[in-house]
Amino acid sequence: MSDQAFVTLATNDSYAKGAMVLGQSLRKHNTTKKLVALIGPHVAEPCRDALGSIFDEVCVVDVVDSGDVAHLALMKRPDLGVTFTKLHCWTLTHYSKCVFMDADTLVLSNIDELFEREELSAAPDPGWPDCFNSGVFVFRPSNETHEKLLAFCGEKGSFDGGDQGVLNSFFNTWATADISKHLPFIYNLSSVSIYSYLPAFKEYGRNAKVVHFLGKVKPWNYSYDAQKGEVRGHALTPDQGQLHPDYLLLWWQLYSKSVMPVLQQAYGETPFNSG
Amino acid sequence: MSDQAFVTLATNDSYAKGAMVLGQSLRKHNTTKKLVALIGPHVAEPCRDALGSIFDEVCVVDVVDSGDVAHLALMKRPDLGVTFTKLHCWTLTHYSKCVFMDADTLVLSNIDELFEREELSAAPDPGWPDCFNSGVFVFRPSNETHEKLLAFCGEKGSFDGGDQGVLNSFFNTWATADISKHLPFIYNLSSVSIYSYLPAFKEYGRNAKVVHFLGKVKPWNYSYDAQKGEVRGHALTPDQGQLHPDYLLLWWQLYSKSVMPVLQQAYGETPFNSG
Ligand SMILES: O=c1ccn([C@@H]2O[C@H](COP(=O)(O)OP(=O)(O)O)[C@@H](O)[C@H]2O)c(=O)[nH]1
Ligand SMILES: O=c1ccn([C@@H]2O[C@H](COP(=O)(O)OP(=O)(O)O)[C@@H](O)[C@H]2O)c(=O)[nH]1
Ligand SMILES: [Mn+2]
Ligand SMILES: [Mn+2]
């Protein structure tokens, strides 16, 4: 349906790479929905071009330009920069329903069925499971909701300093009101959970639909030996074992096969760092 | 109500100490429900006496004696010893409804409202939040359910080798069917979650009603300086920081004030290790 879209966000070139892999993973699994990338003003021109050839729509979001309410709220809470940018997804009112996905997520199968859910549907956060994780959520664009969110955010702030805190305080009946708004955890499988309860991952993990590389270390912080088909150096980082090697490899295979060529075309003769 | 009970389990003297603290924490917060301790045949006589003066009922559970179905299932799955013992709680059919609580839980306020919930109600497990944690759950005693559980257990085993795996496979619609069966996380706050998402603990933790000292290190693995009112040695263990110092202290204060005297009386002149 053309009035439904997957939406992601990248405020810099690193997260933009994540967004490209996410976009290609959605395409690979034949989504029938539109793909939208929100980007910050600092994303480089060739990156924007590459995003443009994967996504249906690339919107530059500059929160300081985004109207009085946002501006006022932002003045009060300069710490919540990226959070404000993420909330901007509610202004995509030319869509009737959207699914937001963090740029550090990777789709493993078609997930268009998520559009059957209502706002605000999300999967539990493994850290505090009465909170939802804001890396994947179903929402209904609305300028009214957007303004309420910004006002809320400006007044109350965020208990965790990010969008997840704000969204959980705003949609504060998620844990108790409606089970259909609980997305199964396999739609937002954090790589950290794999190791915290390995038997459950072995029992249920094979059905995973979305992997979320939550935490400090992201797939693009590694590098890849395309010749050998191996991720380099993941035994060298301090957080070793945090990212599941199979999913990490999957991310890099998709990057190498479906994103690199697009980036190379976009950068043309300009040399660029393949990661 | 006299046909409703809190039920716990201890197969040895260490867990029995936990059960005593749990029992006293329920008494301290004026529960109107009965208290039942299931114990294994290896719990020492004075420990049984001490449990007997805190709990309304102390039942010795020897799974090998507990009928044909259990026996058969057990023959096939000798690894699931304690699990079988825990499932025995379903045979308490002189109660119409019960709340099972692990011996490593501690109650912080009156939680009798849990009896308004139906079988099987439980809080999410932070490791894999589409599973419930089996440290606190509401159930309805029934010999039929008990036999079904044992048969299931004997045939399918447990994906995690314990009762949590079996119970999640048996009550397999918990994640998707009925939000009222999702106990708020504050009824089973694992000490591990405190550190995995500290801002959420700071936001919601003050409402905690039950703390669960989940994991390898239990409160009774420490020792306590009653004179100074300090838990000893918790900076010396490998898992330091896993147990929240405030809750650990609370456990030991209750142990020292309300369990030690009971144990001293039970042991009489026999010297015993205060932990
Ligand atoms: O500098 C940043 C940080 C975050 N994000 C966006 O905000 C999301 C949430 O941040 P992140 O995934 O790093 O948080 P985590 O999931 O690890 O908690 C990212 O996936 C991006 O879409 C971004 O564009 N630039
Ligand atoms: O040797 C044992 C192990 C467990 N238990 C009982 O089974 C529960 C579950 O085990 P535990 O709490 O150690 O598991 P965790 O919550 O750490 O996963 C305990 O609280 C006790 O009630 C017991 O009586 N003896
Ligand atoms: Mn993320
Ligand atoms: Mn326990």
Side-chain angles (χ1 to χ4, degrees), chain B residues 16-17 19-21 23-25 27 45-55 58 254-270 272:
Chain B
K17 285 182 194 170
M20 290 172 211
V21 172
Q24 292 294 39
S25 72
R27 295 264 178 241
E45 204 60 53
C47 258
R48 292 181 193 203
D49 292 347
L51 283 166
S53 68
I54 297 170
F55 286 76
V58 178
L254 202 59
Y255 181 82
S256 164
K257 186 168 163 244
S258 310
V259 171
M260 279 276 273
V262 178
L263 272 173
Q264 263 151 356
Q265 180 144 20
Y267 273 87
E269 294 307 295
T270 322
F272 78 104

Side-chain angles (χ1 to χ4, degrees), chain A residues 54-69:
Chain A
I54 297 169
F55 286 76
D56 296 292
E57 221 185 308
V58 178
C59 308
V60 183
V61 179
D62 190 347
V63 283
V64 182
D65 287 344
S66 67
D68 278 351
V69 183

Side-chain angles (χ1 to χ4, degrees), chain A residues 124-131 159-161 164-165 168-169 174-180 182-186 189 193-194 196-197 199-201 203-205, chain B residues 124-131 159-161 164-165 168-169 174-180 182-186 189 193-194 196-197 199-201 203-205:
Chain A
D125 186 83
W128 189 273
D130 273 4
C131 287
F159 70 73
D160 68 355
Q164 181 158 310
N168 273 279
S169 301
W174 177 85
T176 52
D178 182 355
I179 196 77
S180 76
H182 283 221
L183 299 182
F185 188 55
I186 51 171
L189 173 55
S193 292
I194 294 173
S196 69
Y197 190 14
F201 174 70
E203 178 77 2
Y204 303 110
Chain B
D125 186 82
W128 189 274
D130 273 4
C131 287
F159 69 74
D160 68 354
Q164 181 158 311
N168 273 279
S169 301
W174 176 85
T176 53
D178 182 354
I179 196 78
S180 77
H182 283 221
L183 299 183
F185 187 55
I186 51 171
L189 173 56
S193 291
I194 293 174
S196 70
Y197 190 14
F201 175 70
E203 179 76 2
Y204 304 111

